[in-house]
Each structure stands twice: as C-alpha cells, then as structure tokens.
Amino acid sequence: MDVPSKELEDALRELLSQRADLPRPVTADPAGVAIRRANRIQRRRTLTGMGLAVATVMAVSAVGLQLRDDRPPTGGTVVISDPDQPLLVERPIPPPEPATTTPIAEVDLLIDGLIATAQGRRVPLLGTGEVERAHRLTDGRGWLAVGVPTLAGRSLWAVAGDGAAQALLAGADEIVLDPQGRQVAWKQGTVLAAAKIVNGELDTVVRAEAPAEAVPVRFVGDAVLVRLAPDRPGHVLWPPRPGTLGPGGDRASTHIFGALPDGRLVATVIPGTGTGTGTCLTLLDPARDLAPATPECGPQLPGDGPGAVSPDGRWLLVNGPSAGEESALLVDLAKLDASGVRPAGPAMTGTVVWSTPDTAHYADADGRLVRVAVDQVTEGRRAAPTALPGLPDGASPVVVSGG
C-alpha cells in the first residue's frame, strides 16, 4: 500500500483516542450478571412453554381422534390410552434402596401419600393426587390406585414400583376393580362401563346405559354387581355388554360382601314386609335373579358397613353389634346362624382385606391396624389393634388389596 507513514501514524492516533473515550465495562458487575442470567432463563422458559403447549395440543388431538369412534353415549368419562408411550406399569420394581426399613405389617399399607410395602420399602405416589384405595398387581410390578371423589370425578392410575404413575381413567363417579386387578368397571352419569386391563392399558371397553343413581360395587366373576340406588335395597348383575342395564328382580338386598366358591353371594337383606325383622344375613342365588337361598333370613346384621368374605368362602368379617357396642364380627358361613357369629375385634373402617383364607387386616377408627386370625377368634380371643410407628397425626392406614 502506497500510504505515507505520517498518515498511518495520524490514523492510529485517532483510533486509539476513540477507544479511550469508550466506557470500560466494570470487571465485577453482579447486577448486570443477574439481569443477563434472568434474560437467558426467561428465553428458555418461553421456548419450553411453547414446546409444551404444542405437545399438549397434539396429545389432546390424538386422544380425541382415538375416542371419536368409541365415545360414551353420554357423560364425560375419559379413557386415557397412549400405546406409543412406554407403560409405567411394565417397568420392573427397582431393588430395595438403602433406606429400606423394617416392615410394619405383612401386607402393603397406603399411608399419607405413600405405600409401605410388606417388604419394608416406602414408595411415594408420584403424580396421583389423593388416593382412596390401592390394589397390588399379582405380577408384583406395581399397583392400581383409585383416587378420592372430586368435582372432576375419580381417577384410576397404574403405579410402577418406584411410585411413578400413569393415568388410565379420569372423570368417573365410581370405580371398582376385580380381585385380580385385571378388570375395571366404572360409572359416570348414565354410562356404565367395563374394560380389561392389559399391559397397563384399558382394553375392550364395553358401555351400557344405566339409571343415573345406579352404582357398581364389585365384580362377581366376569360380571359387575350394580346397586340400583344407594339409598334403596336392590342389586343386579351386569355381564358387560352394550345396551341397557336390566332392572333385575332383586329389591331386598342391602349389601353384598362377596361370593362363595359355588357362585352364591353373601348378603344382607330386608325380609318380606310385615315380619318386623331388621336386615339379616343370607345367600343370594345368581341363577335365580339374586333370590335368597335357604335360610332366607339368617343372623341379624343391621346396617351395610364394610365387610368381606374370605377367599375360600368359609368366613365373613363384618361390622355389627356385640355386647352393646359396634364391633367386627366373624361369621361362620358354613353355619349361617347365630351360633356361628363371634366378636373379632374393634369396628372396621375403610377396606378389609383377607391376605390368606384365615387372616384378615383392617384399620379401626383410631387409625390402628388390626390383624384378625381365625383360629384365635374361634378360641374366644379378640384381635388387638396395633398402633403404627411414625403415623402422621390424623392419618389412617388403608390396607392394600391383592398381592
């Protein structure tokens, strides 16, 4: 370049004087760093929010397309199924963590948002909301959890061994599971529905129209037992199929506790008018439209509180009066008369679960766990409640069924 050295020197001086006039950045500027960091975080949150919004719209659209051809006649129950996503219920249970403690019971317990397993693990329920009852899957890979009733209805979740949950059902008025955890029935509005649970998803959903006050109460084999109205006696069996729920002929049964191996149902009934007798225990015959079998009226058992039949059909554990107070009663179903009724322990609250044919567990009104052993009760010894260590104030354990 043919430029005189004098001009180059002048240009260099001008450049250096301009740079000297520019303000120098402060070496340590906490406020500036915080502002720049906040701006970066805000930009990332905005981008993340936009991504989540797009994903949500796509997911809702996909569910809408899936349900379009299988929409309930009325009502707003939502069956949640996403076959393209990994199923949490299929994830194996992780090995016990170092925090494993001594088991507090021989059954799983639902306590204040976590499951205390019979192996001593504490599994927090993640993302389920408040759970009312739970059922352990027979393959040992997790649980099914039923939520408490809310303004939006009940929900059903598949819970993996680490507590992570996947929603299977939402918006139901009532949800019941079969004893193996392989079938579910629910009611919403005037829609009664049932489905199989296959690999953590609802499969083969069947729906029928039913009275708005009808409520599913349990499975009897593959059929769903439905109470026609919560405040009136009468039940009907629904073999899941489309159409309309039939009214049946039973208008006497007030509560049904389970089934015998031959299919007959253990129930309390109101005898024929004019007898002046309260509710009493009897057996109902499904083959005769739930008509009472012999004896038509066995031991008197007022009310329709909690109760359950043992797996072998020999015993019934149910609430009833004993020595002037409400107690748990053990009833020998082979006798089905007053001589086969024995006081078994304090009155039950919530669920009662038979872990073996001769052992049952439940919680009493004070939040204590009660273990009823049939041989002890038949020898005249009532079960004693056990206070659970570390139970939060006001919390009550719920015995987990299945396993």
Side-chain angles (χ1 to χ4, degrees):
M1 296 176 63
D2 190 16
V3 180
S5 60
K6 179 68 168 61
E7 293 183 10
L8 287 174
E9 292 173 2
D10 293 340
L12 181 58
R13 289 190 183 94
E14 178 66 17
L15 176 62
L16 292 175
S17 65
Q18 289 177 359
R19 293 184 64 92
D21 292 338
L22 293 174
R24 292 179 178 271
V26 179
T27 304
D29 183 11
V33 172
I35 292 171
R36 288 192 295 273
R37 183 179 299 168
N39 289 337
R40 288 196 300 270
I41 293 173
Q42 183 62 37
R43 284 194 297 271
R44 286 198 298 268
R45 286 180 176 174
T46 301
L47 293 174
T48 303
M50 292 176 63
L52 289 175
V54 172
T56 301
V57 171
M58 293 176 66
V60 172
S61 301
V63 173
L65 289 174
Q66 184 176 355
L67 297 178
R68 182 176 298 170
D69 295 331
D70 192 21
R71 187 172 298 165
T74 59
T77 310
V78 177
V79 177
I80 301 172
S81 176
D82 189 355
D84 296 328
Q85 295 294 327
L87 301 176
L88 295 179
V89 76
E90 284 296 308
R91 293 165 56 186
I93 292 179
E97 301 173 358
T100 297
T101 60
T102 303
I104 59 177
E106 61 192 77
V107 291
D108 291 358
L109 298 176
L110 179 65
I111 303 175
D112 197 32
L114 62 79
I115 292 178
T117 73
Q119 294 74 38
R121 297 180 60 231
R122 303 292 184 267
V123 181
L125 300 180
L126 308 175
T128 61
E130 189 175 355
V131 173
E132 183 177 82
R133 56 187 185 271
H135 181 90
R136 185 165 192 167
L137 297 175
T138 53
D139 59 10
R141 293 189 173 186
W143 301 266
L144 295 171
V146 178
V148 299
T150 66
L151 293 177
R154 291 185 186 268
S155 297
L156 174 67
W157 294 277
V159 181
D162 59 1
Q166 173 177 298
L168 302 182
L169 185 66
D173 295 334
E174 186 54 89
I175 297 174
V176 294
L177 300 167
D178 77 341
Q180 292 75 37
R182 297 173 183 168
Q183 299 181 88
V184 58
W186 66 94
K187 177 79 184 315
Q188 204 282 328
T190 60
V191 178
L192 178 64
K196 297 183 183 299
I197 302 175
V198 180
N199 294 328
E201 286 189 331
L202 301 190
D203 184 64
T204 319
V205 179
V206 180
R207 295 181 174 90
E209 288 285 344
E213 62 271 20
V215 181
V217 292
R218 67 172 63 247
F219 273 86
V220 178
D222 290 330
V224 181
L225 181 70
V226 181
R227 183 162 185 168
L228 297 174
D231 56 348
R232 299 194 304 273
H235 291 79
V236 64
L237 283 171
W238 176 55
R241 56 176 175 241
T244 302
L245 178 69
D250 170 37
R251 297 296 182 272
S253 62
T254 60
H255 200 85
I256 296 180
F257 302 103
L260 302 184
D262 62 7
R264 289 178 297 168
L265 304 180
V266 181
T268 50
V269 297
I270 299 176
T273 57
T275 62
T277 305
T279 56
C280 54
L281 194 66
T282 189
L283 302 177
L284 305 181
D285 188 354
R288 297 193 299 123
D289 205 10
L290 300 183
T294 304
E296 184 174 345
C297 191
Q300 291 193 34
L301 286 176
D304 58 354
V309 177
S310 62
D312 60 359
R314 174 64 189 276
W315 306 98
L316 167 67
L317 193 62
V318 63
N319 277 350
S322 174
E325 62 179 9
E326 189 78 356
S327 302
L329 304 177
L330 183 67
V331 181
D332 187 347
L333 296 177
K335 295 182 179 180
L336 208 61
D337 58 28
S339 66
V341 180
R342 299 175 178 86
M348 300 178 288
T349 61
T351 358
V352 52
V353 174
W354 287 86
S355 56
T356 68
D358 55 7
T359 307
H361 295 80
Y362 65 89
D364 69 1
D366 296 323
R368 299 171 298 180
L369 183 66
V370 183
R371 180 186 186 273
V372 175
V374 169
D375 56 352
Q376 294 181 0
V377 175
T378 54
E379 292 172 0
R381 291 179 290 162
R382 291 165 52 104
T386 302
L388 298 178
L391 190 68
D393 292 339
S396 182
V398 176
V399 183
V400 176
S401 59

